[in-house]
Amino acid sequence: MATRRWVLGSLGAAGALVVGWSVLPARQRLVGATPLPTTATESALNGWVRIAADGAVTVMLAKSEMGQGVMTSLGMILADELDADWSRVTTAQSPIDKIYNNLATVVDGLPFHPDSDSTVKRVAGWLTAKTMREIGVMMTGGSSSIKDLWLPMREAGASARAMLVAQAADDWHVPATECVVAAGVVSHPSGKSAPFGPLAARAAQRSVPSGVVLKSPAQFRLIGKPMLRIDSAAKIDGSARFGIDATPPGLLYAAVAMCPTLGGRVVSFDAAAALQRSGVRKVVQVGAHAGGTEGVAVIADQPWQAMQAVKLVSVKWDDGAAAAWSSATVMQRLRDELASHDGFAYYATGDVDGALKSAAKLVAAEYTAPYLAHSAMEPINCTVQFKDGAASVWASTQVPGIARATAAKVLGIAPEKVVVHVGFLGGGFGRRLDSDFVGQAAEIALAAGGAPVQTVWSREQDMTHDFYRPACVAHYKAGIDPSGGLVAWTATSAGQAIVHQALGRAFGLPAAGPDKTTAEGAFDQPYEWPAARIGHRIVDLPIPIGFWRAVGHSHQAFFTESFLDEVAHAAGQDPLVFRLALLKAHPRQRAVLQRAAERAGWGAPMAPDGAGLRRARGVALHQSFGTTVAEVAEVSIDADRRIRVHRVVCVVDCGMPVNPNLIRQQMESSIVFGLGAALHGEIAIDKGRVQQSNFHDQPVLRMDECPVIEVEIMPSGESPEGAGEPGVPPLAPAVANAVFALTGQRLRSLPLKLA
């Protein structure tokens, strides 16, 4: 009811303007506000596809390619409906336009349970999608790329195909219904045929058709096939261009030193020693843009010159509000909030208090998770040239529109005067949803007299000036009846709200309302609780936080699945059987869990590892970004009391698998990423200063720690859902549950360390 009241209140506040606007039909997503840029030999048939005179097809990519494979999968979707020759298909980065705005992520971010089919949910989703089409942002995140563009890319391919067919039919004076298309060629039973190239220019002059008929799954030629990545060759031969590879003529380089205390400011600085170094052009103060931290920058002829000289700048800092906070005080504040507040209830059902009072056995526990850094392999970087009142920005960004607006604001020009070039991203994981580094690079470029400047952060600056996954504390309680059945479940967590901070940084909006990311992974699971209350208490702290791969699911899944395992053992039941009993009305989730258990050999005795150490299995199931993943981890403990993960079995149901190769790669990537965080991930803060600085004290998973990974994709005819993040959440609890099965020690804090 609380969610319903919040949504209705928000909609009501907008008044008649929203009501009147909402009855208008949804705006199209096929043709942009301005013509799609083309080369001399190309023709644009809509805002998503260009066809050259030689028949080459270019699919416009409105998402950032950061290793997840969207360049290939989105190209496949459009090319399939177009019936293009896949060997002639390439991609190019799209311009910034409203038709490319991400609708799916924001709609999925509304605080509703996935099982809800209420009118309020449908109306809120509809209005949100319409709003995001007009005032939203281009964004790659939330495992939404395929889900967001599944229909627009298909419609773009189908409408372009219809235009080509109509043109060929007119040329041949035959009915369009008699023409067929295959592998980039339109043909007619009479023997007439024409490749796309000669038809494209004239077809592009036709009106874009509406109401095109899309293929049925049985007609797909590319979708569902394990196609090879089209970006692999460039990454193998070194021709791929990442943000850091930008080299416009006359390029200068900048290195930065920001206040060691998060959010701190520059009081004064002495640049005399730095200015004496060879190649140094300027030393400038840089502000705190888009939630960043103030600092100083050295502009030099070469990167090494800038990196060495910035160390010589003597700075007096104002530490600011964060100096009052350390990891211990943060966690205590969160515990204090839980002691006095129930938080916002994201989900409630049944008489949970009564069920707890009548339960034969009670189980209670506290779970915690620390701050985490993103640690993307490509360092934070941005290249900006500001000349003659206009700017060019080369950036590894997940939000090109926000990056453009940030640069424009700093440079004092209209956004339309800024051109953003987005190359490959050497990892994003949510860090490049922020644009602090773009604003900083733009300010540095202001001092360069028209020359382009590439600003690159050292790993130390990156690690100590991130927007971290928030720390979180959660209190759980469950009631068990005499037969070992679950009768009550409560979960209340406390932590910062990412969306509140992110909206303030990007748009200057005030914090308001619930934030689904705080409790996702706790309240939105498929389990059929007899009676439950799941809530979160938002706590405002001066520690910068941001979207980290899988966001709230990344730690809430650890809490939920670990405690569920704990309750199962307290009830004297097998953890797998206990979970299945709570999924009677969720056949897809049951099937995923059962298949993972079967493939992993759940219940069968385990042989010792190569060193003769005992092994045990742990299981976890989690639903996130529309996708269900079950993982079983096989674990041993070595002589130094270190956790060794030998094998992970992963079964995923993400709807229709557009490209099984890419889904498998994403699950493998998620498991490696999640295991690194589970075993090593922790950012400690002391008086507002991050204590970890590089991979020596904040390691990623090493090759000798990587387990054997087996991935199975469940067949499905449902619409595609997310794949980039859902493999992360179940990993940590599966490992922790295996550790308990092996040692009897319940690990309730991340990272996982044995006593």
Side-chain angles (χ1 to χ4, degrees):
M1 287 297 293
T3 298
R4 181 176 182 273
R5 288 195 299 271
W6 173 75
V7 173
L8 290 176
S10 300
L11 298 178
L17 179 63
V18 169
V19 174
W21 169 74
S22 69
V23 300
L24 297 175
R27 292 283 297 278
Q28 56 84 28
R29 296 182 72 185
L30 288 185
V31 181
T34 57
L36 188 65
T38 59
T39 65
T41 65
E42 289 181 318
S43 300
L45 281 80
N46 52 56
W48 297 93
V49 61
R50 306 187 306 226
I51 300 179
D54 65 357
V57 174
T58 301
V59 176
M60 306 312 297
L61 193 67
K63 305 296 182 183
S64 299
E65 176 58 77
M66 49 189 173
Q68 78 278 43
V70 290
M71 181 177 287
T72 303
S73 53
L74 293 177
M76 288 171 58
I77 294 170
L78 189 147
D80 204 326
E81 291 285 355
L82 180 60
D83 274 318
D85 178 353
W86 180 245
S87 69
R88 304 299 310 282
V89 175
T90 59
T91 63
Q93 197 68 33
S94 72
I96 297 172
D97 191 279
K98 291 179 180 179
I99 66 168
Y100 307 123
N101 286 350
N102 189 316
L103 312 188
T105 292
V106 185
V107 173
D108 285 350
L110 295 172
F112 295 101
H113 193 283
D115 290 347
S116 170
D117 191 33
S118 68
T119 299
V120 173
K121 179 181 178 180
R122 291 195 299 272
V123 170
W126 177 50
L127 287 175
T128 299
K130 284 173 62 66
T131 303
M132 290 304 101
R133 165 60 177 81
E134 301 304 316
I135 62 172
V137 296
M138 287 178 63
M139 176 177 65
T140 307
S143 297
S144 65
S145 293
I146 302 299
K147 182 174 184 175
D148 182 51
L149 296 182
W150 172 241
L151 284 179
M153 296 296 270
R154 293 181 67 194
E155 291 168 351
S159 64
R161 181 184 187 276
M163 293 163 71
L164 292 162
V165 167
Q167 187 59 51
D170 284 355
D171 290 348
W172 303 332
H173 305 291
V174 300
T177 54
E178 295 180 358
C179 296
V180 296
V181 185
V185 176
V186 184
S187 60
H188 184 263
S190 64
K192 293 183 173 67
S193 67
F196 284 174
L199 296 170
R202 287 171 295 130
Q205 303 305 311
R206 309 178 76 93
S207 297
V208 176
S210 60
V212 292
V213 177
L214 302 179
K215 289 183 176 182
S216 68
Q219 295 172 304
F220 291 153
R221 296 184 306 105
L222 299 174
I223 295 171
K225 303 296 191 298
M227 309 297 290
L228 299 178
R229 296 176 64 130
I230 61 177
D231 55 333
S232 295
K235 291 177 177 177
I236 291 170
D237 66 23
S239 62
R241 306 293 291 178
F242 292 79
I244 203 169
D245 293 322
T247 54
L251 183 63
L252 301 176
Y253 299 87
V256 296
M258 290 170 281
C259 181
T261 305
L262 295 165
R265 303 182 61 188
V266 175
V267 176
S268 62
F269 68 93
D270 182 355
L275 290 169
Q276 296 299 313
R277 297 296 294 262
S278 174
V280 172
R281 300 288 189 99
K282 282 189 176 182
V283 179
V284 297
Q285 181 175 336
V286 289
H289 301 288
T293 297
E294 287 190 12
V296 295
V298 170
I299 303 173
D301 294 333
Q302 298 296 328
W304 184 251
Q305 293 169 334
M307 292 167 64
Q308 294 305 300
V310 77
K311 299 175 184 178
L312 302 178
V313 181
S314 177
V315 188
K316 181 178 180 182
W317 305 105
D318 175 359
D319 289 335
W325 293 91
S326 298
S327 292
T329 55
V330 166
M331 301 307 278
Q332 187 56 52
R333 170 67 183 278
L334 300 184
R335 291 187 174 99
D336 291 344
E337 291 288 336
L338 286 178
S340 56
H341 298 280
D342 290 334
F344 177 86
Y346 285 83
Y347 180 78
T349 186
D351 179 10
V352 67
D353 291 333
L356 286 171
K357 289 178 182 178
S358 62
K361 181 184 289 187
L362 293 178
V363 184
E366 176 185 278
Y367 283 82
T368 65
Y371 290 106
L372 278 187
H374 292 84
S375 303
M377 289 295 101
E378 182 187 7
I380 293 296
N381 70 90
C382 182
T383 301
V384 179
Q385 182 170 26
F386 179 53
K387 187 176 182 180
D388 300 328
S392 293
V393 175
W394 293 263
S396 296
T397 178
Q398 296 172 242
V399 281
I402 292 178
R404 181 178 72 168
T406 301
K409 180 179 179 181
V410 172
L411 298 172
I413 58 178
E416 293 73 24
K417 292 287 187 180
V418 179
V419 177
V420 178
H421 306 274
V422 182
F424 290 113
L425 279 59
F429 314 125
R431 175 59 179 97
R432 302 182 201 274
L433 288 168
D434 278 284
S435 60
D436 53 314
F437 57 96
V438 177
Q440 184 187 80
E443 184 177 7
I444 293 169
L446 272 173
V453 183
Q454 183 177 97
T455 300
V456 181
W457 291 13
S458 66
R459 180 60 63 185
E460 288 75 15
Q461 293 298 321
D462 178 16
M463 192 77 72
T464 57
H465 296 89
D466 202 345
F467 294 98
Y468 305 95
R469 187 191 74 179
C472 191
V473 175
H475 287 172
Y476 279 78
K477 186 180 292 185
I480 305 169
D481 65 21
S483 63
L486 182 73
V487 295
W489 178 278
T490 68
T492 308
S493 55
Q496 294 167 263
I498 300 171
V499 171
H500 289 183
Q501 279 203 18
L503 290 178
R505 292 195 294 264
F507 306 109
L509 297 176
D515 175 358
K516 179 188 175 185
T517 68
T518 61
E520 62 185 6
F523 83 95
D524 50 1
Q525 295 308 291
Y527 294 117
E528 298 145 15
W529 315 119
R533 184 190 186 278
I534 301 168
H536 182 87
R537 172 69 174 175
I538 292 176
V539 181
D540 188 26
L541 297 169
I543 308 299
I545 58 171
F547 300 99
W548 191 92
R549 192 174 188 179
V551 203
H553 294 281
S554 68
H555 51 278
Q556 292 285 4
F558 168 67
F559 303 160
T560 300
E561 283 295 299
S562 295
F563 186 65
L564 189 58
D565 212 72
E566 193 166 350
V567 175
H569 282 281
Q573 295 197 35
D574 177 272
L576 174 66
V577 174
F578 194 74
R579 285 173 170 82
L580 290 172
L582 296 172
L583 295 169
K584 294 177 181 177
H586 290 80
R588 289 179 69 183
Q589 291 82 0
R590 280 180 62 90
V592 170
L593 181 58
Q594 287 176 316
R595 180 59 190 140
E598 291 167 3
R599 180 156 180 168
W602 185 266
M606 296 196 67
D609 68 8
L613 300 173
R614 293 188 306 115
R615 293 193 191 190
R617 298 184 186 94
V619 65
L621 174 78
H622 197 74
Q623 181 174 295
S624 61
F625 309 100
T627 291
T628 300
V629 178
E631 291 173 0
V632 178
E634 296 182 0
V635 171
S636 70
I637 308 299
D638 69 17
D640 296 320
R641 302 285 289 168
R642 291 177 302 186
I643 299 168
R644 307 291 297 186
V645 181
H646 300 274
R647 178 189 181 212
V648 175
V649 172
C650 170
V651 176
V652 53
D653 182 345
C654 58
M656 181 176 293
V658 172
N659 186 327
N661 275 350
L662 299 177
I663 295 168
R664 187 169 289 105
Q665 290 168 10
Q666 283 300 286
M667 292 302 114
E668 293 169 349
S669 165
S670 292
I671 288 166
V672 170
F673 188 87
L675 184 55
L679 298 181
H680 308 302
E682 181 175 19
I683 288 295
I685 296 173
D686 183 29
K687 297 179 181 178
R689 299 190 176 197
V690 173
Q691 300 304 291
Q692 290 74 18
S693 62
N694 210 314
F695 294 126
H696 70 285
D697 53 8
Q698 182 57 111
V700 294
L701 196 74
R702 303 294 181 178
M703 290 181 68
D704 64 348
E705 298 175 293
C706 188
V708 173
I709 301 172
E710 301 173 19
V711 177
E712 183 170 323
I713 303 166
M714 299 290 279
S716 176
E718 300 294 326
S719 295
E721 297 285 354
E725 297 166 274
V728 173
L731 193 281
V735 173
N737 294 339
V739 170
F740 174 79
L742 189 62
T743 67
Q745 184 176 339
R746 182 64 67 180
L747 303 181
R748 300 188 180 95
S749 297
L750 292 171
L752 302 174
K753 304 290 183 185
L754 284 164

